[in-house]
Amino acid sequence: MPSWSDTLRFAFQPVVNLTTGGVAALEILARPETGDVLAQARRDPELDGRLAALAIRAAARQETLLPLHVNVFAGTLADLGGLAALRDAVREVGRMPWEVTVDIGPPYTHVPHQALLEAVTALRGEGFRVCADGIGDGDVPLRVLADLAPDLVKLDASLLTRPAVVRSMRTLCEQLGALLSVEGVETELQCAAALSAGAQLAQGELFAPPARRPASDVYVPVLSPVAAAAPPYGPPVRQFVRPAALLPATASAGQVRALLTGSPEVSGVVLVDRAGVPVRSVHRSRFLLSMSGRYGHALYADRPAAKLGDPPRTVGVDATAWEVLDVVADGERDRTSDDVAVVDRLGRCVGVVRLADLVRALSESRVEEAVGLNPLTRLPGSDAITTEVDRRIADGRVFALSWLDVDGFKQVNDSAGFAAGDELIRAVGQALLAASSGTTRVGHIGGDDFLVLADPEGLDPLAASVLDTPWSAGGLAVTLSLATVLCAPGSVADHRQAAAYLAPLKQAAKALRGASWVLGRAGLPGHEIRRGSGSEPAPAGRWVG
């Protein structure tokens, strides 16, 4: 009588890196031809653990070098802890634990919280990576998601119609040190939405459907990353990581040659010790050139490949793209095309990054950024500021959004000429930029209007730098007006609501004489006059309304 395993097949779906356009990993999906073994596995942890082990063995038969994703129910992990069957299968097929990501899926209801966390800790201790799967289409509580601190979060594509939610998840991922992936992507519009919301990975029918054999090619639309989504210190190296071709440090030159000639897409091989720590780096072109020379194969084939390698260049998984460039720039000139190994906190190789990927992405982000700059002041426009406002709202941070302009600017242009007016605007922009520090962001939204996003403690020195300065254009003295709204966590839903609270403060500031500054609080009536006076003299600091 045939068993359920006789009718069970596995399909492979690529997980695509939206930055590099390459395949980052393969998810192994169980596909029973008869019956519903997956429904049984949800209720039977032993069966679910066996399915995970069978998935690893199925991938081994495909002889793929790509990292793997295997699915496990949260209840299985809490019940079985370290998943002995999965560990045994990984060891038997010669894969390393850190090449395997365990996708933990719902349901989470009634799953013992502490047991689940202990199981995740045990898996991590052995080197496995952890993914929170089915977010947005399951029942995972946010508390559990935060406590799991996964390496990867997979969102259901249905959430792409709620961009604020996706951006919030991107912010949470940044805090947890996780990558954000979207699964179930079927259209180019969804792909663009995933990228603009900050997702680094994606999978779905658009790129390649699940298939019995791993797809060698995937379709990725030509998309440019949104510069505003990247932090000011450079995009994280995580989003550029490609799978690494790993061999033990004892591998012979013949073994390396066989891997390279059989895998033309591999640019180099990382030789690792028993713990997975890189010890040598083998560059494809230099290695094959040595092997192809006269007597090269005879001389080197049976000798350790390490003798033809170089000391590895490594960066931590939390590094930024600019830090990788620093590593490349500080090294030997003839190694600028070498892969840089990315290592986890224990020094184990989790992938490689290529210089070409970094240069292309960073140059694209600079082009995108330049498009958004005001040509007069070279400051970013409103989009960059409002995007950062939404990021801080999602992050639950208190912030101050300020608007500043020149009083009677039309008269300045009419009396002193537009050239003098332009010179004044440039000078105000430079003063704002010089006074900003840390997390302060300055934007020029057109004409004589500026937006400033700052932490509350940075307001007084910034205001003093522009309001205490005597300004003039073509010999005509001018003053500036400043309006600020303080936004506490939960007081505004998005940048539009923050702008709505700022609008009446702007009117109040313009109604005052001289250099003026009014400050209000989102959701509360009235405002404080910090500079300027009305039709009747009033002391600074008076609360109105």
Side-chain angles (χ1 to χ4, degrees):
M1 181 177 180
S3 68
W4 59 266
S5 60
D6 294 332
T7 60
L8 182 66
R9 300 292 181 267
F10 289 94
F12 302 86
Q13 186 172 49
V15 179
V16 176
N17 186 315
L18 293 176
T19 301
T20 65
V23 179
L26 292 174
E27 181 173 356
I28 316 168
L29 303 164
R31 290 291 186 264
E33 295 182 350
T34 60
D36 195 355
V37 69
L38 296 180
Q40 297 176 42
R42 181 177 301 191
R43 300 185 298 269
D44 185 346
E46 292 284 352
L47 175 57
D48 194 31
R50 290 172 61 193
L51 285 177
L54 287 172
I56 293 294
R57 294 188 174 96
R61 290 193 291 272
Q62 299 296 330
E63 298 182 346
T64 177
L65 295 172
L66 290 166
L68 306 173
H69 284 241
V70 293
N71 295 281
V72 173
F73 290 113
T76 297
L77 196 54
D79 190 80
L80 297 183
L83 285 176
L86 174 64
R87 294 200 321 268
D88 293 344
V90 170
R91 184 175 59 253
E92 288 170 11
V93 301
R95 298 302 291 257
M96 298 179 181
W98 42 94
E99 296 178 277
V100 178
T101 298
V102 179
D103 288 9
I104 307 173
Y108 285 82
T109 304
H110 307 308
V111 173
H113 182 67
Q114 190 58 38
L116 178 60
L117 295 184
E118 289 175 358
V120 167
T121 300
L123 284 178
R124 280 211 176 95
E126 296 181 39
F128 289 94
R129 291 164 53 82
V130 174
C131 166
D133 199 359
I135 305 301
D137 193 35
D139 61 345
V140 55
L142 282 178
R143 177 176 66 90
V144 173
L145 181 59
D147 289 346
L148 285 177
D151 303 286
L152 176 66
V153 172
K154 284 187 178 181
L155 296 185
D156 187 82
S158 62
L159 285 182
L160 293 175
T161 59
R162 301 168 176 83
V165 176
V166 183
R167 286 195 296 269
S168 298
M169 290 305 304
R170 169 61 191 265
T171 300
L172 177 61
C173 285
E174 289 175 355
Q175 296 294 321
L176 297 176
L179 290 178
L180 181 64
S181 180
V182 177
E183 53 187 352
V185 174
E186 297 179 352
T187 67
E188 295 194 13
L189 188 62
Q190 286 181 320
C191 182
L195 191 65
S196 65
Q200 295 108 340
L201 304 171
Q203 61 189 106
E205 295 280 341
L206 174 68
F207 311 106
R212 292 288 177 84
R213 294 187 63 82
S216 55
D217 296 309
V218 294
Y219 169 72
V220 181
V222 178
L223 298 168
S224 295
V226 179
Y233 44 79
V237 75
R238 279 186 174 90
Q239 69 187 59
F240 300 98
V241 174
R242 290 177 177 265
L246 303 178
L247 282 177
T250 56
S252 68
Q255 289 174 293
V256 172
R257 182 177 183 276
L259 190 156
L260 292 175
T261 55
S263 306
E265 75 282 359
V266 173
S267 56
V269 177
V270 180
L271 303 178
V272 297
D273 63 16
R274 289 178 177 272
V277 176
V279 294
R280 301 293 281 181
S281 174
V282 178
H283 183 267
R284 180 187 188 91
S285 298
R286 292 198 299 274
F287 175 85
L288 292 180
L289 184 62
S290 297
M291 291 290 287
S292 62
R294 190 176 185 184
Y295 309 122
H297 189 271
L299 284 173
Y300 298 117
D302 296 326
R303 299 183 67 185
K307 292 185 178 297
L308 294 176
D310 299 288
R313 290 176 169 176
T314 62
V315 294
V317 72
D318 295 320
T320 67
W322 293 112
E323 290 176 89
V324 179
L325 292 185
D326 288 341
V327 169
V328 174
D330 290 341
E332 302 167 25
R333 290 188 177 182
D334 61 348
R335 293 190 60 193
T336 53
S337 63
D338 286 20
D339 293 341
V340 177
V342 181
V343 298
D344 64 14
R345 58 184 179 82
L346 297 179
R348 300 174 300 208
C349 182
V350 296
V352 296
V353 289
R354 295 179 182 174
L355 179 62
D357 290 337
L358 299 183
V359 172
R360 181 171 57 251
L362 291 173
S363 63
E364 286 175 348
S365 69
R366 285 292 178 262
V367 170
E368 292 287 334
E369 182 181 346
V371 168
L373 295 181
N374 187 287
L376 181 61
T377 58
R378 308 306 296 165
L379 290 172
S382 60
D383 285 349
I385 303 299
T386 55
T387 298
E388 180 62 19
V389 168
D390 286 337
R391 286 167 63 88
R392 297 191 188 190
I393 291 172
D395 205 19
R397 295 168 56 184
V398 61
F399 63 89
L401 182 63
S402 300
W403 162 91
L404 178 137
D405 82 340
V406 178
D407 296 325
F409 185 66
K410 183 178 185 302
Q411 183 182 355
V412 172
N413 277 338
D414 291 344
S415 302
F418 70 87
D422 286 351
E423 185 178 345
L424 173 63
I425 294 304
R426 277 193 291 266
V428 171
Q430 290 170 3
L432 285 171
L433 199 58
S436 63
S437 61
T439 59
T440 300
R441 301 287 177 266
V442 179
H444 182 192
I445 59 178
D448 61 323
D449 293 309
F450 294 87
L451 278 178
V452 182
L453 178 63
D455 293 331
E457 56 269 21
L459 284 175
D460 287 323
L462 188 141
S465 69
V466 290
L467 298 182
D468 291 346
T469 299
W471 297 99
S472 64
L476 179 68
V478 296
T479 57
L480 307 181
S481 292
L482 178 67
T484 300
V485 59
L486 285 177
C487 299
S491 62
V492 290
D494 56 24
H495 70 269
R496 296 176 184 84
Q497 193 173 10
Y501 283 126
L502 187 58
L505 300 175
K506 171 184 175 180
Q507 295 178 1
K510 298 298 289 184
L512 299 174
R513 292 198 302 265
S516 61
W517 180 21
V518 300
L519 181 145
R521 291 171 173 79
L524 297 179
H527 59 268
E528 176 187 352
I529 299 176
R530 293 202 165 186
R531 297 283 185 97
S533 60
S535 56
E536 298 179 2
R542 179 168 66 99
W543 190 267
V544 178

